[in-house]
Amino acid sequence: MSDRQDVHPGVSREVLAQKFRAFIDPEYVISDDETLKPYECDGLSVYSEMPMLVVLPETVEQAQQVLRICHEERVPVVARGAGTGLCAGAMPHREGVVLSMAKFNRILEINPVARAARVQPGVRNLAISEAAGKYGLYYGPDPSSQIACTIGGNVAENSGGVHCLKYGLTVHNLLSVDLLTVEGERITLGSEGLDSCGMDLLALMTGSEGLLGIVTEVRVKLLPKPEVAQVVMAGFDSVQTAGDAVGAIIAEGIIPGGLEMMDSHAIVAAEAFAKAGYPTEAKALLLCEVDGTEEEVHEHIDAVESLFKRLGATSVRTSHNEEERARLWQGRKSAFPAVGRISPDYYCMDGTIPRGQLAHVLTEMERMSEACGLRVANVFHAGDGNLHPLILFDANVPGELEKTEDFGGRILELCVAVGGCITGEHGVGVEKIRQMPAQFNDLDIAQFHRIKAAFDPAGTLNPGKGIPTLRQCQEYRSLEMSIEPNSGAENQLHREGGHE
Amino acid sequence: MSDKQVQLVDQVLAARERRQPVRIVGGDTKAFMGRSTDSALPVLDLSGHTGILTYHPVELVLTARAGTTLAELDAALSEHNQMLSFEPPRFGKNSTLGGTLACHLSGPGRPWWGSVRDQVLGVRLINGQGEALRFGGQVMKNVAGYDVSRLQAGAMGTLGVMTEISLKVLPRPASTRTLVFDCEMDEAVSIMNRRSVEAKPLSAACWLDNKLYLRLSGAHSAVDATLSHWGGSELMDAEHFWHRLRDHQLDFFCTSLPLWRFSVNPTARMPGLSGQWLVDWGGAQRWYLGNAELSEMERIAVEAGGQVSLFRGGDRSAEVMHTPPQAVKALQQRLKHAFDPDGLFNPGRLYSWM
Ligand SMILES: Cc1cc2nc3c(=O)[nH]c(=O)nc-3n(C[C@H](O)[C@H](O)[C@H](O)COP(=O)(O)OP(=O)(O)OC[C@H]3O[C@@H](n4cnc5c(N)ncnc54)[C@H](O)[C@@H]3O)c2cc1C
């Protein structure tokens, strides 16, 4: 059961396209290579595959019919939102259909009193906050890709953003989702209330990467916009001190709206790009945003400023109006394109670690970076321990991509070794399937397969993603043993260290 | 602090060999919840599996064995001025962490501070094949693999024996004060919703006996300013009131009448039935005391955008949870089979058919 990841449908492209065109606008059933091309990958373009077909249904009934036919013919189905995913989760299956949810782009209802919005899955994350804005409300999770990514993709990845330490991830901001099962059956998980009876299927569905069902409607919570937000920027002459400062803020009982850290490589790149006024000589930079009522923000900003100074920050600056706040954030927000400017290519990783391990992890990463000759810049959701190392490389140099992937894999294993995990918000997809056995043993993984089979026994929803086959696990383990006989013992050591 | 992991695995393996279902019991303070089950079933006792394994106040993360009492957690957290933000009810002094998650119980702050399921980061669990598994982690963000940890919320132990739980914890607010207003239920519900739209430090909103209670928590300056802005009179000894609401110690709950829990749209208008209402969670949770049929209550709940369960009392040999649609029922049955193929854990506790 668990090793069946390859699905071979017995139906040809043309026959299937014909079937779909019977009930979907023929223009929205794409079968020619040229028009299929843009769908070959998501935001992680190093992985790509041409699909057999792309369909863009316009109604739930059409999507339902697509699923029924695919189920009957055992054709793989890969759901797609905006394709901004960073783990190749939306990468097509060569013998499958890409089910694009792009036409489901309507906000169906905003209830400002109940603080909820009912939206179709193809609605962009930011569009929800824009529509709710006139009521003084917004949608909490704010991935950096929020102008483009869809709420359906957010549900599938359980996406986060810079404000999730205080306002939670996608899973904390959902009331219900409507979905289609692999058989094309419509179900609703959750309700207009906060909690439902029975096992929490809504939570299970969130972050399931399109492997358990297709999201067709989402009811999200809306939050009142804070009265004020102010950000304090502080430079530090060591990563350790900056890390300690993060701990000290929490110890003070303050939960910042956003708490971001950048290392010296990221600071220099961001400053060159955005001219935000960052101290380029600093070894680490913190951006601490406090939001809430005027009184509260005032009280907490004072506390944060004096705490940073007391802990030896080399520079401290606080925004006093919206313009200054936007400028201070500008550097952080453009960190990815900024890094893109100093290197032909970069590869964004996404591990989570206990915050106390930060200095150790960055030192180790620097060591690995020197050993393999690839530079790495770090941006870090410091509040919740989510690291985004950006590995700089040149895809035109033969072998450099492979070297980069290997380095990235080592970083994720390091995250697990210190008590963290291989992905905080981008998901596993195709990309991190190799490292799954570092975090889970074969029994855990077998249980994942049994969960998958409960929803999708034939394994046609997004095959080859998210959960490795047991054979892949064995290969991973035997490879690890043959390369690094000591790594197991070292991992054990760190794991214990990480729990102290 | 004691580790019963090995014995627990052995007990599950033995139960499996004999095809002998078991009742999973922690502090035994929630026996009244769920359906009544065969009391002759052997008990799988978690109350001896206790202890806080790791607690890093600056990481806001705590890991404890499932049989650890809430009292023990409270004591450890308050030393660092932190708390279980989901305000779990203590239905007895032995209430455990495992039982709280299995029953998905959260207190008055739930709409603002999240539920127990919201704060769960990872679990260790023994499945029906006696395999000790580990899901999630001890870090705040983890999207590797399916979210098996949160799936346990509300499953009432039907999917496995949780042995260890990692949670996000939060600092205690610096200041907490409560306002009381005289008003009728419908008016109270609209005030609660109106106040919830304001960006003020509201942390609980409840109505009973023609009184509306609004709790404010946060920085001193913010709480004080909002308090004077919103008016009303201040409730003295407010912490006691919220605890008694949380733990069902208020007079309202001290009755033998069936207690129904509605989880609904916070703005919903509930029909005037002959029994009594208590509104909590800013309108999103309504308690109703009175004799009624589950099917009738379900109709009312659906109209109000939510679900209902018979929380305490009444006929507990019949169904007590909102009836899921056929497709959702089938999914739950298949998931049950995926975790517990021999049906060993808490048979019939959640639904008669599981
Ligand atoms: C510049 C940049 C910055 C980013 N920043 C962040 C960040 O800060 N935080 C963060 O969490 N992520 C971030 N991401 C990653 C990405 O934006 C998120 O994962 C996002 O949720 C993907 O949404 P999408 O609509 O593009 O989904 P896609 O990429 O199209 O799909 C993602 C996955 O969801 C599935 N899927 C999509 N729609 C559905 C549906 N309706 N039903 C079922 N499954 C579905 C797909 O099969 C796939 O597995 C970033 C990406 C980029 C390019």
Side-chain angles (χ1 to χ4, degrees), chain A residues 79 81-86 89 143-145 150 153-154 156-157 159-160 209 213 215 425 462:
Chain A
T84 68
L86 290 176
S144 311
S145 51
T150 68
N154 292 175
E157 300 290 8
S159 301
E209 304 194 8
V215 178
E425 57 184 16
N462 216 0

Side-chain angles (χ1 to χ4, degrees), chain B residues 222-270:
Chain B
V223 169
D224 295 350
T226 310
L227 195 95
S228 57
H229 183 60
W230 282 3
S233 47
E234 186 168 4
L235 179 70
M236 293 302 137
D237 205 10
E239 188 172 12
H240 186 59
F241 169 78
W242 294 109
H243 283 178
R244 295 204 315 148
L245 169 64
R246 180 194 73 190
D247 301 343
H248 289 192
Q249 298 288 321
L250 293 171
D251 289 346
F252 175 89
F253 296 103
C254 302
T255 152
S256 56
L257 280 170
L259 175 66
W260 302 84
R261 175 188 178 226
F262 287 85
S263 176
V264 294
N265 184 310
T267 62
R269 276 187 191 259
M270 306 304 275

Side-chain angles (χ1 to χ4, degrees), chain A residues 190-268:
Chain A
S191 77
E192 293 169 41
L194 294 170
D195 292 339
S196 298
C197 294
M199 50 185 83
D200 201 327
L201 295 174
L202 177 57
L204 182 67
M205 188 55 57
T206 312
S208 63
E209 304 194 8
L211 271 82
L212 304 183
I214 307 295
V215 178
T216 57
E217 197 175 297
V218 187
R219 184 183 296 271
V220 299
K221 296 178 193 167
L222 300 174
L223 300 169
K225 273 195 232 168
E227 286 177 355
V228 237
Q230 265 183 288
V231 57
V232 186
M233 176 200 76
F236 291 87
D237 58 12
S238 89
V239 167
Q240 180 75 52
T241 324
D244 292 345
V246 171
I249 294 172
I250 306 281
E252 196 93 339
I254 298 172
I255 300 292
L259 188 50
E260 297 287 302
M261 191 191 294
M262 296 163 78
D263 72 0
S264 56
H265 305 293
I267 300 169
V268 171

Side-chain angles (χ1 to χ4, degrees), chain B residues 34-335:
Chain B
R35 297 178 65 257
S36 55
T37 53
D38 183 357
S39 56
L41 289 184
V43 166
L44 196 70
D45 182 9
L46 269 285
S47 67
H49 188 59
T50 59
I52 296 172
L53 298 171
T54 57
Y55 169 37
H56 303 290
V58 298
E59 303 272 352
L60 300 175
V61 175
L62 176 148
T63 299
R65 295 201 179 98
T68 312
T69 61
L70 297 177
E72 183 177 344
L73 297 177
D74 282 341
L77 288 162
S78 57
E79 260 178 55
H80 296 274
N81 212 16
Q82 295 188 338
M83 61 173 188
L84 296 173
S85 57
F86 47 93
E87 299 189 289
R90 284 74 169 167
F91 291 137
K93 67 178 183 358
N94 296 329
S95 282
T96 64
L97 179 58
T100 298
L101 177 56
C103 295
H104 199 181
L105 290 173
S106 312
R110 192 260 178 264
W112 297 274
W113 292 337
S115 65
V116 53
R117 109 15 155 156
D118 285 340
Q119 306 300 343
V120 165
L121 304 173
V123 298
R124 280 178 188 256
L125 156 140
I126 306 168
N127 69 9
Q129 314 202 55
E131 296 167 346
L133 309 174
R134 175 179 167 163
F135 301 101
Q138 303 197 332
V139 283
M140 237 156 285
K141 287 165 86 179
N142 175 18
V143 293
Y146 302 119
D147 196 342
V148 175
S149 317
R150 293 194 174 100
L151 174 67
Q152 305 307 316
M156 296 196 84
T158 51
L159 298 178
V161 185
M162 285 186 277
T163 55
E164 211 175 287
I165 296 169
S166 297
L167 291 168
K168 177 176 172 183
V169 298
L170 283 180
R172 259 174 212 284
S175 161
T176 297
R177 298 174 73 177
T178 298
L179 289 169
V180 208
F181 305 82
D182 291 316
C183 67
E184 309 255 296
M185 181 167 76
D186 286 349
E187 192 194 347
V189 169
S190 36
I191 296 175
M192 287 173 182
N193 281 287
R194 235 176 25 240
R195 291 305 189 196
S196 299
V197 180
E198 294 179 39
K200 297 294 181 190
L202 186 63
S203 70
C206 150
W207 175 90
L208 105 135
D209 290 339
N210 286 327
K211 282 196 165 47
L212 166 67
Y213 300 84
L214 300 178
R215 184 178 71 181
L216 298 159
S217 308
H220 284 282
S221 53
V223 169
D224 295 350
T226 310
L227 195 95
S228 57
H229 183 60
W230 282 3
S233 47
E234 186 168 4
L235 179 70
M236 293 302 137
D237 205 10
E239 188 172 12
H240 186 59
F241 169 78
W242 294 109
H243 283 178
R244 295 204 315 148
L245 169 64
R246 180 194 73 190
D247 301 343
H248 289 192
Q249 298 288 321
L250 293 171
D251 289 346
F252 175 89
F253 296 103
C254 302
T255 152
S256 56
L257 280 170
L259 175 66
W260 302 84
R261 175 188 178 226
F262 287 85
S263 176
V264 294
N265 184 310
T267 62
R269 276 187 191 259
M270 306 304 275
L273 303 174
S274 59
Q276 275 180 295
W277 289 101
L278 185 156
V279 182
D280 196 8
W281 290 6
Q285 178 166 260
R286 317 282 175 100
W287 297 99
Y288 176 74
L289 278 177
N291 289 302
E293 292 292 320
L294 178 63
S295 55
E296 173 60 8
M297 289 297 170
E298 285 180 345
R299 199 187 52 72
I300 293 169
V302 169
E303 198 124 293
Q307 299 192 346
V308 66
S309 60
L310 177 53
F311 195 80
R312 196 195 280 266
D315 177 7
R316 310 206 74 81
S317 59
E319 299 297 347
V320 296
M321 297 289 169
H322 199 107
T323 315
Q326 184 51 41
V328 176
K329 173 178 174 182
L331 268 181
Q332 294 198 55
Q333 281 172 318
R334 291 204 295 269
L335 273 173

Side-chain angles (χ1 to χ4, degrees), chain A residues 27-68:
Chain A
E27 237 191 285
Y28 297 148
V29 180
I30 302 168
S31 58
D32 66 290
D33 282 355
E34 197 185 331
T35 326
L36 286 175
K37 186 78 177 159
Y39 293 91
E40 69 175 354
C41 64
D42 61 11
L44 183 61
S45 56
V46 296
Y47 293 91
S48 72
E49 184 86 79
M50 287 287 274
M52 176 160 75
L53 278 180
V54 173
V55 285
L56 296 91
E58 296 175 277
T59 65
V60 175
E61 291 71 26
Q62 289 175 354
Q64 196 167 22
Q65 193 61 16
V66 168
L67 282 165
R68 284 196 191 122

